[in-house]
């Protein structure tokens, strides 16, 4: 679960970093060329956008799977809590019957 959460949270930022880095390198390459034609940086910008797409392809399924496992785990936790509560109530009743029950007359005498 922790791995899925980490992938889902960080992948878009890794992709965004790749986009910024690729676009920056494309503009640096364009500035070094004598004729400043924007089409010369197109390949670098396309690679940068591909980095963003790869980050999203990793992040979106990771978040969906994490949310699914989180809901399933929460359901099991509620089930275990209810079972533990029921077992605790049954145990408490059994202990009261066998060890804790004091006859009514003895309680009244002890109270006085």
């Amino acid at each position: 679960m922790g791995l899925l959460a980490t992938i889902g949270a960080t992948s878009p930022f890794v992709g965004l970093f790749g986009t910024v880095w690729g676009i920056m390198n494309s503009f640096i390459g364009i500035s070094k060329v004598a004729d400043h034609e924007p089409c010369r940086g197109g390949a670098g910008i396309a690679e940068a956008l591909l980095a963003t797409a790869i980050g999203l392809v990793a992040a979106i399924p990771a978040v969906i799977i994490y949310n699914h496992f989180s809901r399933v785990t929460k359901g099991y936790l509620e089930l275990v809590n209810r079972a533990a509560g029921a077992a605790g109530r049954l145990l408490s009743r059994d202990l009261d019957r066998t060890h804790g029950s004091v006859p009514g007359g003895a309680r009244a005498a002890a109270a006085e």
Side-chain angles (χ1 to χ4, degrees), residues 12-78:
F13 297 109
V14 171
L16 183 62
F17 177 74
T19 301
V20 171
W21 189 268
I23 291 173
M24 181 184 69
N25 284 336
S26 294
F27 284 130
I28 290 171
I30 291 171
S31 69
K32 290 181 180 178
V33 176
D35 58 348
H36 298 287
E37 292 183 26
C39 63
R40 294 193 184 268
I45 292 172
E47 289 174 2
L49 293 175
L50 181 64
T52 301
I54 291 171
L56 292 175
V57 165
I60 292 170
V63 170
I64 290 170
I65 293 168
Y66 173 82
N67 287 338
H68 171 73
F69 283 148
S70 180
R71 281 191 301 272
V72 169
T73 303
K74 185 178 177 182
Y76 284 132
L77 183 61
E78 289 174 6

